Structure formats: C-alpha cells, structure tokens
Amino acid sequence: MKVFTEPDKLQKWAEGRRLAGKKIALVPTMGYLHAGHLSLIAAAKKKGADEIVVSIFVNPIQFGPKEDFARYPRDEKADLAKCRKAGATAVFFPTPENMYLKNHSVFVDEKLLGKTLCGARRPGHFRGVCTVVAKLFNLARPHFAVFGQKDYQQQAIIRRMVRDLNFDVEIVVAPIVREASGLAMSSRNVYLSAADREKALALSRVLFDLQKDIAEEEELDWRPRRTQIVRFLRESGLNVDYVEAVEADTLTPVESSLAKGNVVLLAVYCNGTRLIDNAVM
Ligand code: AMP
C-alpha cells in the first residue's frame, strides 16, 4: 500500500495508474476509521476498482470556529493498518499546510441544497467539504468516489457539484453501518460515555419506528409526528438541533404527508457531541 503526504506525488502516481488503464476509486475520510469507513472501501472493491485511494484528512476549513477541529480524534497508525487490511492500495495523508497554501483563495460553494439542515446550522461547512472534495478529485483522479449515506446532505451536495461542475467522477453511495444497538457508527462516538450512548439510541429508534409505520401505512401526517419525535428526543436527554423530512433528491422539506422514498434526518447534541442520523422511508 502506497502512502502519500504530498499532493503532487499522489497526483503523478494517480495519473500514471490512469494511463495504465487502471480503475481508480477514492474514499474520502477524516480518519479514526471504523466499520462504516471500511464498508466504503469494500464497496469500492466490489465495484471492481484496481486502485483504492483512501484520503485521511481532518479538513480545517469545514469546521466552524467553535467546533471540534482541534480535538477531533486522530490515530494515523491504526488507520493505516485498517486501510491495509481492508484492501486499500493507497492512503493520502496530507497536512493542512500542503492542502491550503497560505494565500489559498478559491473555494467551491454550492448555493441551494446546502441552505437547510446541517448547512443552515454549520455555516461554511459544505463550502469546506466541496472545496476539499474537488481538490481530492483533482489529486486522486478517481473514476468513482464512495460516500456514506450517513452524511445524507453531503452526498446530495457532492452529486450536485459533480453535475454542475462536470466532474468526470461517478458518485457511489453506501448504506449506513450501525452498531448492533442501532447507533450509527461515527468517529465522534468516541466522545460518548456509556450513558450518552444509551441516550443516543433514541435516534435510530425514531427512524426504525418511522420506517415500520410507513411500511404499514404508506403515508403519515408529518407535523404531529414531528412534534412527538422532538418531545421523545428531548425526554431521552438529547438537545434537538433539527428533525426534518425531505424529498430524497432535492432536499425540499416535506410539509404535510410523509411518504415512502422521503428521507427523515435528525441532528442532536448528546452531552455536547453533535450526532446525525437519517433513513430513507
Ligand atoms: P468522515 O470520516 O466522518 O468524514 O466520513 C467519511 C465517509 O464515511 C463519509 O462519506 C461518511 O458518510 C462515511 N461514513 C461515516 N460513518 C458512516 C457509517 N456509519 N456508515 C457508512 N458510511 C459512513
């Protein structure tokens, strides 16, 4: 497995592999890898990638000034071992200084899908995400890139960026990997105590209940249900950031009737840790 820290070295290597006719997959991550990340590598393998490039970069420009950039969990050694075991053929470990020169002044800013949900609560977040992903596309030269459904709004925005800026990269979206309890895997789960984890189960419980009800009823009245969900999350000891239902592609809010194919997205603070989860109905 190759390990790159210099952007231009990765780019040269990737261009060479492309010219040799190899299919390149990119799996962008912020590291502290868990089974959810490894499922993206597995999806890349299953799709027939010859080269699987995992990028591990805690991207400073997607964090707000009061967010957890400095304390975001990092473990380079364990991540390298996990990548090797999962079948990655290259890992890209850049430094912020290598990715953003002192006078870096060009950013990619999606203007529509990022106005709601996490985009509304985390100003500048998706601008940071789109900018780094555009750079990673230029560096790793992938034929396709794998993202997790866990960050539902992120994959929608990346797909829009690819469409609107004509990136020649196929976007593959892999399902959410959960712990046996139902808790969606996340690097930030390391911040949770045993009691916090118990509280956090309310998220998946809400989503599973909704899926069950939609499977039985086809549709349900969203407004009263939303009120109940907010109350249930609060009673479970969580601070609700948002509870929203949207159309799957456009992220247009569902106002009255929640139907099959809509997506319900939740964001909460659990003892100060921001957790997100979602499910397609
Ligand atoms: P992160 O390291 O949190 O930026 O995530 C990197 C990629 O892994 C993103 O595409 C995430 O959506 C994806 N991911 C994170 N957690 C999970 C999970 N539990 N299941 C599937 N994919 C995930």
Side-chain angles (χ1 to χ4, degrees):
M1 187 175 74
K2 299 241 166 221
V3 179
F4 297 99
T5 53
E6 307 287 332
D8 56 341
K9 297 237 166 72
L10 168 66
Q11 196 175 43
K12 269 204 190 85
W13 172 81
E15 190 54 27
R17 301 313 289 155
R18 248 188 185 250
L19 289 173
K22 302 298 180 190
K23 270 246 172 307
I24 304 178
L26 171 69
V27 178
T29 81
M30 297 204 299
Y32 211 72
L33 301 178
H34 51 67
H37 296 116
L38 303 183
S39 78
L40 307 183
I41 300 176
K45 218 182 208 176
K46 193 162 161 220
K47 229 183 116 62
D50 300 303
E51 301 288 359
I52 302 176
V53 182
V54 178
S55 63
I56 298 180
F57 180 52
V58 185
N59 176 32
I61 70 165
Q62 73 187 64
F63 286 79
K66 293 193 182 130
E67 293 183 352
D68 57 345
F69 173 70
R71 72 173 191 129
Y72 194 85
R74 293 160 168 91
D75 190 343
E76 296 191 5
K77 221 171 133 198
D79 284 351
L80 280 177
K82 286 175 189 174
C83 285
R84 193 171 283 121
K85 190 158 172 234
T89 61
V91 171
F92 180 44
F93 251 133
T95 61
E97 296 73 27
N98 279 343
M99 286 296 269
Y100 301 109
L101 302 182
K102 271 205 194 75
N103 53 358
H104 180 103
S105 58
V106 179
F107 297 85
V108 180
D109 205 1
E110 193 281 331
K111 287 294 198 188
L112 195 59
L113 302 178
K115 285 213 284 211
T116 58
L117 305 166
C118 289
R121 271 80 179 178
R122 305 183 66 189
H125 171 67
F126 288 117
R127 178 179 185 258
V129 169
C130 285
T131 302
V132 80
V133 170
K135 285 168 72 70
L136 291 169
F137 285 175
N138 284 332
L139 294 172
R141 309 281 286 113
H143 294 86
F144 64 91
V146 191
F147 291 85
Q149 188 203 313
K150 167 83 187 340
D151 296 271
Y152 192 89
Q153 189 177 20
Q154 170 173 280
Q155 60 78 33
I157 291 173
I158 295 296
R159 287 192 288 122
R160 180 61 60 91
M161 176 182 86
V162 162
R163 188 196 75 174
D164 286 358
L165 297 185
N166 307 93
F167 277 102
D168 186 15
V169 179
E170 181 191 347
I171 302 302
V172 176
V173 179
I176 301 176
V177 175
R178 299 177 180 281
E179 294 182 0
S181 65
L183 180 66
M185 291 199 179
S186 164
S187 305
R188 288 190 171 99
N189 289 353
V190 70
Y191 300 144
L192 304 177
S193 67
D196 296 335
R197 279 172 170 271
E198 199 60 39
K199 292 180 195 166
L201 291 185
L203 290 175
S204 51
R205 210 164 285 158
V206 161
L207 295 170
F208 297 159
D209 282 351
L210 278 168
Q211 280 178 322
K212 196 161 105 270
D213 292 349
I214 290 281
E216 281 165 13
E217 313 271 334
E218 295 278 323
E219 290 197 354
L220 56 83
D221 195 358
W222 174 240
R223 272 174 208 225
R225 186 62 179 259
R226 184 180 177 281
T227 307
Q228 276 176 16
I229 291 171
V230 170
R231 192 181 313 131
F232 173 69
L233 293 173
R234 286 195 183 131
E235 284 168 2
S236 305
L238 302 169
N239 275 330
V240 177
D241 196 15
Y242 63 73
V243 171
E244 302 286 351
V246 302
E247 308 273 352
D249 286 330
T250 60
L251 306 186
T252 309
V254 164
E255 298 296 347
S256 51
S257 174
L258 180 71
K260 261 198 170 63
N262 289 154
V263 182
V264 174
L265 302 102
L266 310 174
V268 300
Y269 286 91
C270 178
N271 199 8
T273 297
R274 192 166 188 278
L275 300 176
I276 57 172
D277 201 349
N278 70 81
V280 180
M281 295 296 113

